[in-house]
Each structure stands twice: as structure tokens, then as C-alpha cells.
Amino acid sequence: MKIDLAAHFAAGGSFERALAGWRVRPQQLEFAEAVLEAIESSSVLIAEAGTGTGKTFAYLAPALAAGGRVIVSTGTKTLQDQLFHRDLPLVRDTLGIPAKLALLKGRANYVCLHHVEEAAAEGTFASREEAKHIHAIARFAGRTGSGDKAECTEVPELSGAWARATSTRDNCLGSRCRHYEDCFVMKARKAANDADLVVVNHHLFFADVVLRDEGVTDLLPSANTIVFDEAHHLPDLARLFFGQSVSTAQVVELARDARGAQLVHAKDSPQIGEAALAADRAARDVRIALGMATGRFAAAQLDANAALGAALDALDERLDALSKLLASQAERAEELRNAQARTAQLREAFSAWRAVKEEGAVRWVEAYAQSAVLNRTPLDVGPVFAQQVAAGKRAWIFTSATLSVGGDFRHYQSELGLAEAATRSWESPYDFASQALLYVPEAMPEPNSPGYTEAVIDAAFPVIEASGGRAFLLFTSLRAMDIGQARLREKLGARGLDWPVFVQGSAGKNELLERFRDTPNAILVGSQSFWEGVDVKGEALSLVVIDKLPFNPPDDPVLAARIEQINRAGGNAFMDHQVPRAVIALKQGAGRLIRDETDRGVLMICDPRLITKHYGKRIWRALPPFRRSRALADAVAFFASVPQA
């Protein structure tokens, strides 16, 4: 039977009849028809749809109408929850299709009955607050149907208690756990296996595909359609998951679990606890050996670091000692056997990282404040990902507002090995020319010059005053963000303006957004977290200031190796790789401004390279068709006709 999507999306269709405020958008119907065509032909579609196109309904409707098993993967858990709790029920009920829906998250999002019980029995906590949170989680576990920690509102998301109340792939006991029949993870997976449409997120999808972790991989063989929303994240995530990594934090977690298992199941073997503490200290010494600096370092930079080599040798010895002690007591409890197996696996992973040096991959270390991750990352994941797509006859839909550079998808296609995929692009239905102004100030210094961030704030401040705050200031680094917010506070103080400044990291992302929406004259200063996935409609956000073109730092070890690989093969890494990535990131940042057909505002990009460099023209053309100006007077005058909050 032919599916008539116009009956749903066109004027007088089922969506217009069922949903108040529904607007007919030709782009949305075209998008939906392209998705349906890909589903019916089991082909691959890369679809870019500008803000306001209504892409969520445009892929959900044909996916549900076509029938079969559907997997929808999103970039964030926030969008995952929105799809499952709001958008999907609306589409399903409007279409009148009795489809079963399921939400599946990674195991770290579900309370683990075993680990909550073990934590309470062990009785040792980092703080009184952690003890209180563990008991609150235990009460929640007794009354919840899903076990989803997002529903446990009395315990903060960042509480340390969650690490002890959830399981990891390493410390899950699986079918050997006495709570297996009541396990929230297993219940969620069973519901997913019984569903017609399952909503997952990209991290879970890739982790399960690569690690075969008994979740999404159970669903894939029977899936007719796979949709990736926010698909611009996939190349970096594919590199992450098709590589290997091992972390000192995994050793610290293992040591904690081994001590807990000894206290509960082997009280007469305190040497296990002592060996676990020794392994914990050895893992922390690895981090100390890297020095005070945080960030990413290529393995070649660290080869001369004798302290790091010695620390890794010591860690290997401590893990070996712990493994032997755990093996001697392993028959006493599953927890001890599990800890012994993990110890052996971690020892092997650290050893492999030190030994393996292969073409087509880069070894590197990411140093955090308290831990370090040792990574091996493939430089070209296209062939590997293409194999996944080619395995089985099904439709693959990749969609986002930012996948192309001026309608050219070749960069994205090459990243994922999708050269033969169909590509389509639809412009936003918004009237950008009348709704927004793109302002690039004159006489800005070069971005790498001293005092550049202060110059950004000085140039932006008259526009911030004209807009009455109501602004996002987006920076390409945390350091620039800190300098910028300090300069902004100085300027506000000098003008006697008591406008609230919210800074990324001072509270949770959602809390900061709520405060921003609810507070007059608010200014939010952020870095990467606020460049995408943030939706503030209406007058609360009327100005977006971007400090620099968002090029990834060329000293990033993965990027540096990729640049060398492309140039060695005769390509131009800057134009073929770095510029397209910067365009996609910049379009995401620019997309924060106009989120509705009644929104109005100014996008201010301070980087002079947008005008002065030859590649700037390529980036300029790829931005939304805002009215454009370099005159401060135009940016200030724009707000004369915009109602103030």
C-alpha cells in the first residue's frame, strides 16, 4: 500500500488537525518523502535540514508508517528523552499507528540493585552527603519502574554516589547476579527487543556495536531502518569507539570494588585491600608522572618521560600482585572473581598500549586533573564504518542541521566512508534576511595576538548594551571564556550595569539555561557545551557573540596525525579537512540565535579572518543568509526596533 505523507504534512493534513500551532512547511514534506524513499529502497540518505524545518517529525512519520523495526540514535540524552517522552507519542498517536516504543540508555544511567546493596553493606562513604545520597537511591530503587537515574531528582546528577549505585561493563555480574531477574538494565533491553521503535544515543550505539555489549547489537539484525539525528557528531565518535583506550580511573574504580568485595566477602584477607590500595596509588602516580598540565599529548611527546615509564612499570607490578591475591580467593564470591578478571584485562590493556605502534593510527594521552586516559585512535574510520552500513539490507538515515559546506557533503561522506550515499539539503524556512543581522566588526586584531579576548569584549560591549544583555558569548576555549567573563564584569561594573552573568561550569547546563531564560538582561558566557544542543526561543536570547572561527587546535595529536596523513597523500588538509570541520562547528554556534519564526537578533563573529583570508569567503558563504554588515551603527540600530525584555 502506497504511503501518502502529504495526507499528514500538507494543509488540512492530520498534523495540522491534531496539533495547535502546526505550520505547513514544504521542506518538511520533501524531507519526509526522501526518508520514505530511502526506507523503501533500503538505501543510505544524508539529509541536512536547516533550523525550523521540523526534521524530527519528518523522519519519525515515514519510519513509523513504513513499519518494521526502527532504531533512532541521538547525540544527547536530552534529545533522547525529548523524542521518547514528547515527539514520538505525538507522531504515533497522530498517525494512528499502534507502535511499541522503547527508550534504551547505557547501563550507567540505571540504578544497579547489586551495587546499591553492596555500597550500603560496606558502609564506607567519601562523605556524609554521599551516604545520604546512597540511601536516597536505595529508596528510589524500591519504588521506580524504570530505574532511570534521570527520574531520581533528589540526588544530583554529579553526585559521587551514582558511581557506586550504577554498574559498568567491567563490574556488572551479568546473569550470575542474584538481582538479574529484577535488573533495570535487563528490563530496558527486554522492552527494547519487544519494541517497534527504540530510541538510543550515539555513545550507546557505538559502544554496543564495537564492544558487543548485549544491547543495541541484539536489535541491529532485525532493524529495517536506522536514523542518526545530530549526525554531525558521528565521525569523531566513530574514531573514539573504533579505537582503544584505557584509563587510570578504571584502576581506581577497580581498586574500590576490590576493597569492597574483600570487606564483604573476604574479611580474613586484608592483604587484598592493601594490594588494591597499592594499585590505586600506582594509577595516581601515572597521572602525576605526566606533570601538572592537562590536555592531550601525542605518545611521541612522552617517549622521553622516564618517570612515566617507571610509573607504568610500577602499575603493572601492582596489578599483577592484586590479580594473584584475588585469584587465591576467587572461589568465595562472584565479586572477587569479577575483580580478578578485570585486573587481568586492565594489565593487558596498559601493556598493549605501550607495545602497539601501527600505521594508520595515533597513540596519545589525555591528562585530566585527577586521571589520565591512554588512547589508540584510527585516523580513517570510513572503511570500518562503511562495513557496518553494508552489513545487512536496511535503510540508514543521517540527519542534522550541519552536515555540508555550502551544500557540499564530500567532507562528511569521506569521514564515514559513505561516498555512494544520496545527499539532500533543505534551507531553513525562516526569513533570515529580515530576522537577523550578521555583524563582523572592523579593526579587530589577529586572533593569536596578545589581548585578543579583551578586544572581543571591548568590541562586543556596545552591542551587548544595545541588546540589553540577552546574549550568549561563545568562546572557542575555556581559557578565553575565563578571560572574557572577567573583562565583561569589569565593563558592566564601569557602566553601573547590574546585569547577571552566568558562566559555564558554575552550575549544571540545564540549570544555567533555566536561569538565563527567566532572568531579565542575562548574559551567558560559555565554551563548547553551549555551541550546540541549546534552544532558547524568544526575546531572552537576542545576541550571539562568537570570538573566533572554531578551528581545532593543530597540536591536538589526532588532528595533527590526520593532517600529516592527508598532506602525505597529496591532499590539502587545511582546505579539505580543517575548514569543513570549522564550518560545521560555526554553523552550530550560529544556529543558537534564530530558533523560531518570530525570533530576531544579531550574530556577531569577531574573527577578522572571516573577511581577510581566502578561506574566509568559503566559510562566509556557508553561513545562513542573514543581512550582513561591518558597521557597529547597524548592529546597535538593529535593536532599536526590537522590544526590550
Side-chain angles (χ1 to χ4, degrees), residues 49-60:
T51 308
T53 305
K55 67 182 187 321
T56 304
F57 279 36
Y59 65 69
L60 288 179

PDB file of all heavy atoms in Angstrom, residues 49-60:
ATOM      1  N   ALA A  49      19.000  19.572   7.150  1.00  0.00           N
ATOM      2  CA  ALA A  49      17.778  20.380   7.202  1.00  0.00           C
ATOM      3  C   ALA A  49      17.992  21.535   8.162  1.00  0.00           C
ATOM      4  O   ALA A  49      18.298  21.327   9.337  1.00  0.00           O
ATOM      5  CB  ALA A  49      16.593  19.524   7.651  1.00  0.00           C
ATOM      6  N   GLY A  50      17.846  22.755   7.659  1.00  0.00           N
ATOM      7  CA  GLY A  50      18.065  23.943   8.466  1.00  0.00           C
ATOM      8  C   GLY A  50      17.097  24.051   9.626  1.00  0.00           C
ATOM      9  O   GLY A  50      16.044  23.407   9.663  1.00  0.00           O
ATOM     10  N   THR A  51      17.457  24.896  10.587  1.00  0.00           N
ATOM     11  CA  THR A  51      16.628  25.119  11.770  1.00  0.00           C
ATOM     12  C   THR A  51      15.206  25.469  11.370  1.00  0.00           C
ATOM     13  O   THR A  51      14.983  26.305  10.493  1.00  0.00           O
ATOM     14  CB  THR A  51      17.213  26.279  12.604  1.00  0.00           C
ATOM     15  OG1 THR A  51      18.593  26.028  12.844  1.00  0.00           O
ATOM     16  CG2 THR A  51      16.486  26.417  13.929  1.00  0.00           C
ATOM     17  N   GLY A  52      14.240  24.829  12.016  1.00  0.00           N
ATOM     18  CA  GLY A  52      12.836  25.136  11.750  1.00  0.00           C
ATOM     19  C   GLY A  52      12.201  24.281  10.673  1.00  0.00           C
ATOM     20  O   GLY A  52      11.010  24.431  10.391  1.00  0.00           O
ATOM     21  N   THR A  53      12.980  23.382  10.081  1.00  0.00           N
ATOM     22  CA  THR A  53      12.423  22.512   9.044  1.00  0.00           C
ATOM     23  C   THR A  53      11.448  21.498   9.635  1.00  0.00           C
ATOM     24  O   THR A  53      10.522  21.039   8.961  1.00  0.00           O
ATOM     25  CB  THR A  53      13.556  21.768   8.303  1.00  0.00           C
ATOM     26  OG1 THR A  53      14.491  22.726   7.805  1.00  0.00           O
ATOM     27  CG2 THR A  53      13.018  20.931   7.160  1.00  0.00           C
ATOM     28  N   GLY A  54      11.659  21.147  10.890  1.00  0.00           N
ATOM     29  CA  GLY A  54      10.820  20.129  11.520  1.00  0.00           C
ATOM     30  C   GLY A  54      11.295  18.734  11.178  1.00  0.00           C
ATOM     31  O   GLY A  54      10.506  17.845  10.865  1.00  0.00           O
ATOM     32  N   LYS A  55      12.617  18.534  11.254  1.00  0.00           N
ATOM     33  CA  LYS A  55      13.188  17.272  10.789  1.00  0.00           C
ATOM     34  C   LYS A  55      12.784  16.089  11.669  1.00  0.00           C
ATOM     35  O   LYS A  55      12.692  14.955  11.180  1.00  0.00           O
ATOM     36  CB  LYS A  55      14.704  17.374  10.661  1.00  0.00           C
ATOM     37  CG  LYS A  55      15.491  17.540  11.933  1.00  0.00           C
ATOM     38  CD  LYS A  55      16.977  17.666  11.612  1.00  0.00           C
ATOM     39  CE  LYS A  55      17.885  17.676  12.815  1.00  0.00           C
ATOM     40  NZ  LYS A  55      17.445  18.382  13.994  1.00  0.00           N
ATOM     41  N   THR A  56      12.527  16.328  12.957  1.00  0.00           N
ATOM     42  CA  THR A  56      12.179  15.212  13.844  1.00  0.00           C
ATOM     43  C   THR A  56      10.906  14.519  13.374  1.00  0.00           C
ATOM     44  O   THR A  56      10.869  13.290  13.194  1.00  0.00           O
ATOM     45  CB  THR A  56      12.003  15.705  15.290  1.00  0.00           C
ATOM     46  OG1 THR A  56      13.192  16.383  15.706  1.00  0.00           O
ATOM     47  CG2 THR A  56      11.742  14.545  16.228  1.00  0.00           C
ATOM     48  N   PHE A  57       9.845  15.279  13.149  1.00  0.00           N
ATOM     49  CA  PHE A  57       8.598  14.697  12.644  1.00  0.00           C
ATOM     50  C   PHE A  57       8.810  14.142  11.235  1.00  0.00           C
ATOM     51  O   PHE A  57       8.192  13.146  10.855  1.00  0.00           O
ATOM     52  CB  PHE A  57       7.480  15.739  12.622  1.00  0.00           C
ATOM     53  CG  PHE A  57       6.816  15.943  13.963  1.00  0.00           C
ATOM     54  CD1 PHE A  57       7.538  15.889  15.135  1.00  0.00           C
ATOM     55  CD2 PHE A  57       5.453  16.186  14.043  1.00  0.00           C
ATOM     56  CE1 PHE A  57       6.928  16.075  16.371  1.00  0.00           C
ATOM     57  CE2 PHE A  57       4.830  16.372  15.271  1.00  0.00           C
ATOM     58  CZ  PHE A  57       5.579  16.321  16.445  1.00  0.00           C
ATOM     59  N   ALA A  58       9.706  14.790  10.459  1.00  0.00           N
ATOM     60  CA  ALA A  58       9.904  14.398   9.062  1.00  0.00           C
ATOM     61  C   ALA A  58      10.577  13.037   8.926  1.00  0.00           C
ATOM     62  O   ALA A  58      10.416  12.378   7.900  1.00  0.00           O
ATOM     63  CB  ALA A  58      10.725  15.456   8.326  1.00  0.00           C
ATOM     64  N   TYR A  59      11.338  12.607   9.925  1.00  0.00           N
ATOM     65  CA  TYR A  59      11.867  11.236   9.831  1.00  0.00           C
ATOM     66  C   TYR A  59      11.055  10.249  10.658  1.00  0.00           C
ATOM     67  O   TYR A  59      10.973   9.066  10.327  1.00  0.00           O
ATOM     68  CB  TYR A  59      13.362  11.163  10.172  1.00  0.00           C
ATOM     69  CG  TYR A  59      13.776  11.496  11.596  1.00  0.00           C
ATOM     70  CD1 TYR A  59      13.460  10.663  12.673  1.00  0.00           C
ATOM     71  CD2 TYR A  59      14.550  12.627  11.870  1.00  0.00           C
ATOM     72  CE1 TYR A  59      13.868  10.956  13.965  1.00  0.00           C
ATOM     73  CE2 TYR A  59      14.967  12.930  13.157  1.00  0.00           C
ATOM     74  CZ  TYR A  59      14.624  12.093  14.199  1.00  0.00           C
ATOM     75  OH  TYR A  59      15.031  12.381  15.477  1.00  0.00           O
ATOM     76  N   LEU A  60      10.401  10.723  11.745  1.00  0.00           N
ATOM     77  CA  LEU A  60       9.621   9.791  12.564  1.00  0.00           C
ATOM     78  C   LEU A  60       8.380   9.289  11.818  1.00  0.00           C
ATOM     79  O   LEU A  60       8.042   8.094  11.888  1.00  0.00           O
ATOM     80  CB  LEU A  60       9.198  10.460  13.873  1.00  0.00           C
ATOM     81  CG  LEU A  60      10.291  10.705  14.917  1.00  0.00           C
ATOM     82  CD1 LEU A  60       9.706  11.393  16.139  1.00  0.00           C
ATOM     83  CD2 LEU A  60      10.979   9.404  15.312  1.00  0.00           C
TER      84      LEU A  60
END
